[in-house]
Amino acid sequence: MAKTVRENTYKRKNDSGRLSQNEFMQIISLLLKNKNVRFTLGLFFLLLAMAMFGAFTSYFLGGTGKADQSLVEAFWNNKLAQSGAEVQNWLGLTGAILAHTFVFKGFGIAAYILVVISFVLGWRFLNNVTLIRLPRLMRVSIFFLIWISTLVALADRSAFVSGAWGFEIAHTFLIPLFKSFFSVVITFAVLAWFVVKTFAYDDYKKYVSTNNGIVKTISDAAKSVRYERVEKNKKTVETTEAGNNEDHKDLFSDEGIILEVTDDDPTLDKTKPIERVTKITEDPTEAIKKERASKLRTTRMPKVDTEDLSEDNDEVVPDMPPFKNPTSETPLEMPKEVSPKRTRRSTEKLSKRKTGKLDLELTDESAPVTPQTPPPSIDKVTEKVNPFFEKAIQKDINFKEEAEHNRETKEEKKLEAYDPTLDLSTYKFPTADLLNELPEMKRQVSNEELEANKDRIVETLSNYGIGISQIKATIGPTVTLYEIIPEAGVRISKIKNLEDDIALSLAALGIRIIAPIPGKGTIGIEVPNKRREVVTMRSIMEDDAFKNTKASLPIVLGKTIENKVFLADLAKMPHVLMAGATGQGKSVGLNVFLATLIYKKHPAELKFVLIDPKKVELALFTAIEKHFLATLPDSEEAIITDNQKVIHTLNSLCLEMDNRYNLLKDALCRNIKEYNQKFTQRKLNPKKGHKFMPYIVLVIDELADLMMTAGKEVEQPIARLAQLARAIGIHLVVATQRPSVNVITGVIKANFPARLSFKVTSKIDSRTILDAGGAEQLVGMGDMLFSMGAEMIRLQGAFLDTPEVERVCNFIGDQQGYPEAYQLPEFHGEDNKGGGSTGGSVGDRDELFDEAARIIVMHQQGSTSLLQRRLKLGYNRAGRLIDQLEQAGIVGPFEGSKAREVLIPDEYSLERLLNEISNNS
């Protein structure tokens, strides 16, 4: 039996029985591997990081460092409760101690690095993830703690910011020796030296080159060796050097691997455990010379089915390339069925062959050698690769391919984001050149006029015993605001009651007193200017506030008293209620609203539904029908003027609202902005009904006429849209010249938080529209009050002339548009359900048909107004009932201004006719 060179790898315990340093380190390593210990340490370091961050921030930003210094220094002499109650640090006494220790006594502002260190340690223990290697982290952190503290101390004379360490280094060593300038130079030189020393390029290059070779080494090892499972009884014989901490080394280290010995020789004692063999470090040539004097491990080829090979020839070694151990830089996990054992061996003496099985034998030099026997052909050796290595390498390749595929897929998705504006990619936004440019106007109020008005105001108030301590003026385009501060003890109501007296003394109309001005603590007196300034639309469009706005639906309201452009976002308002007497600028204001939206939005992003009962105010916008307008299917007119179509349009918008809410529910979105963002990112499937949703703005130029003719049939859908339509991008702009409670009902008014009032005729109308007085004091021609919640602002609206509107609309209409206007859902309402038009079937009559017939027969008067009064209906529905009664033969045909003839003489005949109609239907 072959002899073996053995080496004892065990170390005996100390004679004293105490734990050695290596054993102590092993116990610490086992403790750190325990999940509970790691969780406790991780939680401790994270909490410590948060505590230090709060304490340090309170020290610097809260200014509590100097206040708590004396308390912390005297902490051991005072009582704990007394010290804790007096400290001002956000974290109490603990925070004050932490800040004083690490900031004032330590490293100043550089102490925040300790927060980073504590956080990294806590994160590492909790998640078992290494954010940065601990030795390098500690080395870099210690350097920058001292360096930053020193640098700050060179610029700061106190230790509150730099800390004691930096202060002592800078003012005790650097500045006395080198002065301030050269001290800073030396400090940055030390920084440069440290960076070069720590982040050397050669170390990085060596690291990269070492790791790049791991795949090839693993592949060669996989093709050369097949591992087999070592018997359990051999595990007890494995020896390791206790002083070298080999448990923390990689599997493929420089010491090599012991593989299982599978010998077919029956004389080999297989029960003998495999032991550690001393590593041969001699040169291969010297090893050959000592071949007969030393004991070596040799390899034996598997049996080859040839008659020429001798049975005693166990040392035939084919000429194969030497085996190179995988690098020890990268750990490799072995399969469960493989139990490799470490050993020191000579890689020069152990030849690796491309065989299916590697047999090792421990032999003596006395074994016979038969060199005359030729080695077996390499073709007869079957190559068998360990499947573990194949799976590991293939898994790594698949992972890289999948990551590359995912990256390319994400890039393609980013490039293929849906753009709704591509349908009209050639669309050009209108420019400011289409608008009129007026010559620059100088300030319309002279200094003499300001001084005269000021003197009159002070004189008028002094006549009533009201003293003024301060007064200043702000000139606006329409009015000048005089802000006064009365003397102490003057009641505000006393000044407010002098509104008419001040107007008399100034010989001016429209004096408005604001007592007090919100947020200023002054009383405002608005006096109209004798010469007004015209706010042009072009000046608004060229203003930076309008050009740079990020609002979803920006609308221009005009200029404030400070001559600043006032913009609002209709998407946030979310609806506007306008009122004003005839000729005060209401229609011009609507044109300005529409023009500003057209200037900022693409046709794919915005649609208008224009309702104009007066038929002439919004007619100019017909030119942009195929770009910005939305209509009912098969509608002949883009601008809705017929009251019957108004009802259908409002109900169609309600259907559109319900459909959009269903899409938002399916997409798990809360508003139109989130939905469109998901759709443009292609997260919603168009095959499931999803589509890009444009904003829809409903504009009603005259609500009073609709309320008089349709009543509840108009009020109900308007109120429903105002209550619900904000989230899905439908917004209302409703205007009326009659702000009475019959027109602006409580249901409508409650859902319009934004109110805009031009000049009205009475204080009652002002209270109806604004819930406050003041609109009756306006001077007209675009002078308005805007109310949003509790705030009320006086504005001068922009002027947009009819030729300007026409040029803008023609500029857009001449461009390529959509094939048709945006189609709203078709509404099937009372026309089908309740009798509808004259061509409908009597069997589908209105639910009030019988009651209307009895009223007509009882009064023997076929009048639409009679039905409106008795049944409290709108004109449209009452007219449809008359048409149905005509079809049923109850009333005669239309006879102009006369009432229709009643064809049924009495109620008995009517009941018989109604029964016949019911039976036939």
Side-chain angles (χ1 to χ4, degrees):
M1 177 58 64
K3 296 180 180 180
T4 308
V5 179
R6 303 181 181 178
E7 179 183 2
N8 184 15
T9 60
Y10 290 99
K11 288 187 177 181
R12 297 178 181 178
K13 292 185 178 180
N14 296 334
D15 296 338
S16 61
R18 292 179 299 178
L19 291 176
S20 64
Q21 181 180 0
N22 295 328
E23 292 173 338
F24 177 76
M25 294 302 297
Q26 289 179 358
I27 293 175
I28 296 299
S29 177
L30 291 175
L31 285 175
L32 292 179
K33 291 181 180 179
N34 186 275
K35 292 183 178 179
N36 295 331
V37 174
R38 294 180 68 87
F39 177 80
T40 304
L41 290 176
L43 190 61
F44 169 75
F45 281 113
L46 287 180
L47 293 176
L48 179 61
M50 290 187 289
M52 288 192 296
F53 180 80
F56 298 167
T57 305
S58 175
Y59 181 90
F60 289 110
L61 300 183
T64 60
K66 295 182 179 180
D68 296 339
Q69 181 182 2
S70 59
L71 294 175
V72 175
E73 291 179 349
F75 165 67
W76 303 107
N77 299 327
N78 297 336
K79 294 182 180 180
L80 182 63
Q82 179 181 357
S83 300
E86 295 178 357
V87 294
Q88 299 180 13
N89 193 282
W90 298 344
L91 270 70
L93 184 60
T94 303
I97 294 174
L98 286 175
H100 184 77
T101 303
F102 292 110
V103 180
F104 182 75
K105 293 290 186 181
F107 307 99
I109 197 171
Y112 278 101
I113 298 178
L114 298 175
V115 178
V116 178
I117 296 175
S118 181
F119 177 80
V120 171
L121 290 175
W123 190 265
R124 181 172 184 173
F125 281 121
L126 279 179
N127 301 309
N128 199 19
V129 175
T130 302
L131 300 178
I132 183 173
R133 293 183 178 178
L134 191 59
R136 171 166 289 190
L137 173 65
M138 299 303 298
R139 184 167 63 252
V140 173
S141 301
I142 292 173
F143 172 80
F144 279 104
L145 279 171
I146 300 175
W147 186 85
I148 294 176
S149 178
T150 304
L151 183 64
V152 175
L154 291 175
D156 188 14
R157 292 290 181 179
S158 65
F160 281 95
V161 179
S162 62
W165 279 74
F167 186 83
E168 292 296 330
I169 294 174
H171 295 277
T172 305
F173 174 68
L174 291 178
I175 294 179
L177 293 180
F178 305 104
K179 301 301 180 181
S180 298
F181 175 75
F182 289 103
S183 298
V184 174
V185 174
I186 291 173
T187 304
F188 280 97
V190 172
L191 173 64
W193 172 82
F194 178 78
V195 171
V196 173
K197 185 71 175 176
T198 304
F199 305 99
Y201 175 75
D202 293 337
D203 295 342
Y204 173 77
K205 184 176 180 182
K206 179 180 177 182
Y207 174 79
V208 173
S209 61
T210 303
N211 286 275
N212 286 344
I214 185 62
V215 177
K216 182 177 180 182
T217 307
I218 294 176
S219 178
D220 294 341
K223 294 181 180 179
S224 303
V225 182
R226 181 172 71 89
Y227 291 99
E228 295 195 7
R229 188 170 185 176
V230 181
E231 300 295 337
K232 292 183 179 180
N233 59 355
K234 297 179 183 179
K235 293 183 179 179
T236 57
V237 189
E238 179 182 4
T239 60
T240 58
E241 292 184 5
N244 294 331
N245 291 329
E246 292 183 357
D247 292 337
H248 301 288
K249 296 182 179 180
D250 298 327
L251 182 60
F252 292 118
S253 64
D254 292 337
E255 296 178 358
I257 305 172
I258 284 187
L259 307 178
E260 181 190 9
V261 178
T262 56
D263 195 354
D264 295 330
D265 192 353
T267 63
L268 183 65
D269 187 5
K270 297 183 179 180
T271 61
K272 186 176 181 180
I274 299 175
E275 299 185 8
R276 189 183 185 91
V277 182
T278 56
K279 180 177 181 181
I280 307 298
T281 59
E282 294 85 2
D283 186 74
T285 57
E286 296 180 1
I288 295 174
K289 295 179 182 179
K290 299 178 183 179
E291 193 171 16
R292 295 185 180 276
S294 61
K295 298 179 181 181
L296 303 172
R297 173 180 296 181
T298 61
T299 59
R300 184 170 60 85
M301 293 293 299
K303 290 185 178 181
V304 181
D305 190 11
T306 59
E307 298 178 357
D308 297 335
L309 292 176
S310 173
E311 295 180 358
D312 296 330
N313 187 13
D314 295 332
E315 297 180 354
V316 177
V317 180
D319 189 11
M320 304 291 288
F323 173 75
K324 295 181 180 180
N325 283 335
T327 177
S328 60
E329 293 293 328
T330 305
L332 180 65
E333 183 181 357
M334 299 297 296
K336 293 183 179 180
E337 63 269 19
V338 179
S339 298
K341 299 183 179 181
R342 303 185 179 194
T343 182
R344 298 181 179 273
R345 64 184 180 187
S346 174
T347 58
E348 293 85 356
K349 297 301 180 181
L350 184 59
S351 300
K352 301 298 182 286
R353 303 162 181 83
K354 295 183 178 180
T355 60
K357 190 173 184 180
L358 181 64
D359 296 335
L360 303 181
E361 180 183 8
L362 303 178
T363 62
D364 193 6
E365 184 59 27
S366 59
V369 180
T370 56
Q372 65 273 14
T373 304
S377 174
I378 194 64
D379 297 334
K380 295 183 179 181
V381 180
T382 305
E383 182 177 355
K384 189 172 183 181
V385 182
N386 186 359
F388 164 72
F389 290 102
E390 285 188 344
K391 292 180 179 179
I393 296 172
Q394 187 64 34
K395 184 177 181 180
D396 183 65
I397 295 174
N398 294 339
F399 175 77
K400 291 180 178 179
E401 291 179 352
E402 183 179 357
E404 182 68 19
H405 175 71
N406 292 337
R407 184 180 64 82
E408 293 177 355
T409 304
K410 289 181 179 179
E411 290 180 355
E412 290 177 358
K413 288 183 178 179
K414 289 181 180 178
L415 294 175
E416 295 178 0
Y418 176 74
D419 187 2
T421 63
L422 292 179
D423 293 338
L424 293 181
S425 58
T426 60
Y427 175 79
K428 296 180 181 180
F429 287 87
T431 61
D433 298 335
L434 300 172
L435 305 174
N436 294 335
E437 181 178 8
L438 296 180
E440 184 178 357
M441 303 179 66
K442 297 182 180 179
R443 192 175 65 173
Q444 301 297 319
V445 182
S446 62
N447 293 330
E448 293 77 8
E449 183 180 351
L450 289 176
E451 290 294 331
N453 290 337
K454 182 191 73 171
D455 294 340
R456 290 192 185 100
I457 292 173
V458 173
E459 181 182 358
T460 303
L461 294 177
S462 62
N463 291 336
Y464 292 93
I466 299 174
I468 303 299
S469 62
Q470 185 180 349
I471 183 170
K472 66 177 181 177
T474 303
I475 303 174
T478 304
V479 298
T480 299
L481 175 64
Y482 294 89
E483 296 183 46
I484 62 174
I485 299 178
E487 293 180 351
V490 177
R491 300 181 62 180
I492 294 178
S493 60
K494 189 175 181 180
I495 299 177
K496 208 167 185 180
N497 293 332
L498 298 177
E499 189 172 0
D500 295 334
D501 299 294
I502 296 175
L504 178 63
S505 65
L506 296 176
L509 296 176
I511 297 293
R512 194 170 77 98
I513 296 180
I514 310 171
I517 297 178
K520 288 189 175 182
T522 60
I523 297 175
I525 301 176
E526 293 178 346
V527 179
N529 300 333
K530 294 181 179 179
R531 296 178 59 190
R532 310 179 53 167
E533 177 184 348
V534 178
V535 178
T536 62
M537 191 65 183
R538 181 161 184 166
S539 65
I540 297 291
M541 296 300 177
E542 294 177 346
D543 192 85
D544 292 337
F546 180 76
K547 290 180 180 179
N548 302 327
T549 181
K550 302 297 182 183
S552 299
L553 294 175
I555 57 174
V556 172
L557 296 177
K559 283 189 176 182
T560 62
I561 293 180
E562 293 83 8
N563 279 297
K564 294 181 180 179
V565 175
F566 188 85
L567 291 173
D569 189 358
L570 183 59
K572 296 180 179 179
M573 295 172 77
H575 313 292
V576 182
L577 184 61
M578 299 174 59
T582 303
Q584 302 303 319
K586 186 171 69 281
S587 297
V588 175
L590 285 178
N591 290 339
V592 171
F593 279 18
L594 296 174
T596 52
L597 291 173
I598 289 173
Y599 263 82
K600 296 298 290 186
K601 305 301 289 185
H602 191 275
E605 302 171 333
L606 175 65
K607 301 297 177 184
F608 295 113
V609 177
L610 304 182
I611 298 176
D612 183 15
K614 293 188 287 188
K615 303 183 180 181
V616 294
E617 297 293 345
L618 303 176
L620 293 175
F621 293 95
T622 307
I624 60 173
E625 174 184 359
K626 295 184 178 180
H627 295 82
F628 283 100
L629 298 189
T631 60
L632 291 172
D634 302 327
S635 178
E636 297 178 357
E637 297 180 355
I639 310 298
I640 304 166
T641 58
D642 184 24
N643 290 344
Q644 177 62 38
K645 291 184 178 179
V646 169
I647 298 172
H648 287 191
T649 302
L650 293 176
N651 286 282
S652 178
L653 282 174
C654 292
L655 292 178
E656 176 74 10
M657 176 183 68
D658 295 336
N659 295 337
R660 289 191 174 195
Y661 269 118
N662 291 332
L663 292 178
L664 260 65
K665 181 185 68 174
D666 296 339
L668 302 178
C669 299
R670 298 183 60 185
N671 52 58
I672 187 174
K673 192 172 183 179
E674 295 179 4
Y675 179 88
N676 285 339
Q677 184 177 1
K678 273 191 175 183
F679 187 83
T680 53
Q681 295 174 356
R682 300 191 181 277
K683 296 181 180 180
L684 302 176
N685 190 358
K687 295 182 180 180
K688 295 183 179 180
H690 293 289
K691 59 183 179 180
F692 183 84
M693 295 182 187
Y695 285 96
I696 297 178
V697 177
L698 170 64
V699 179
I700 301 177
D701 186 29
E702 186 50 65
L703 179 63
D705 183 67
L706 297 179
M707 295 297 293
M708 289 177 63
T709 57
K712 296 291 184 181
E713 294 176 280
V714 172
E715 181 184 4
Q716 181 180 356
I718 288 178
R720 190 161 181 261
L721 289 172
Q723 289 172 352
L724 303 175
R726 170 186 180 178
I728 44 83
I730 299 179
H731 304 277
L732 281 66
V733 179
V734 179
T736 181
Q737 63 182 0
R738 185 184 170 189
S740 62
V741 293
N742 296 331
V743 177
I744 305 176
T745 62
V747 177
I748 294 178
K749 187 177 177 181
N751 295 288
F752 283 80
R755 319 274 178 79
L756 189 63
S757 177
F758 295 87
K759 180 178 175 59
V760 295
T761 56
S762 66
K763 185 175 291 187
I764 297 175
D765 291 344
S766 176
R767 293 188 179 277
T768 302
I769 181 66
L770 297 176
D771 291 332
E776 75 281 357
Q777 298 292 344
L778 300 177
V779 295
M781 298 181 64
D783 191 17
M784 67 180 87
L785 287 175
F786 175 70
S787 172
M788 185 71 175
E791 185 180 8
M792 189 176 297
I793 304 172
R794 188 165 186 174
L795 304 169
Q796 174 59 45
F799 177 69
L800 184 64
D801 202 3
T802 301
E804 296 178 274
V805 178
E806 188 175 1
R807 285 197 297 270
V808 172
C809 292
N810 291 336
F811 175 82
I812 297 174
D814 293 340
Q815 301 184 47
Q816 180 185 358
Y818 294 100
E820 58 183 1
Y822 185 83
Q823 298 295 305
L824 297 175
E826 187 173 359
F827 173 69
H828 301 283
E830 294 182 353
D831 284 352
N832 293 336
K833 172 179 150 183
S837 60
T838 57
S841 172
V842 179
D844 297 330
R845 63 182 182 270
D846 193 290
E847 58 185 7
L848 297 177
F849 177 81
D850 293 352
E851 187 175 355
R854 293 187 182 97
I855 292 175
I856 292 295
V857 173
M858 181 177 61
H859 290 83
Q860 289 293 308
Q861 181 182 356
S863 173
T864 304
S865 60
L866 176 64
L867 295 181
Q868 285 184 269
R869 293 193 303 271
R870 294 292 182 177
L871 300 178
K872 298 180 181 180
L873 300 178
Y875 177 81
N876 292 331
R877 189 174 182 183
R880 290 196 298 272
L881 281 171
I882 290 294
D883 293 336
Q884 294 174 15
L885 293 173
E886 180 185 356
Q887 289 182 353
I890 298 176
V891 296
F894 177 69
E895 297 181 0
S897 59
K898 296 181 180 180
R900 295 176 183 252
E901 181 184 0
V902 181
L903 304 178
I904 304 299
D906 51 31
E907 295 183 7
Y908 175 76
S909 302
L910 175 63
E911 293 298 331
R912 231 177 22 169
L913 178 61
L914 293 178
N915 292 334
E916 291 178 3
I917 294 175
S918 301
N919 295 333
N920 293 333
S921 60

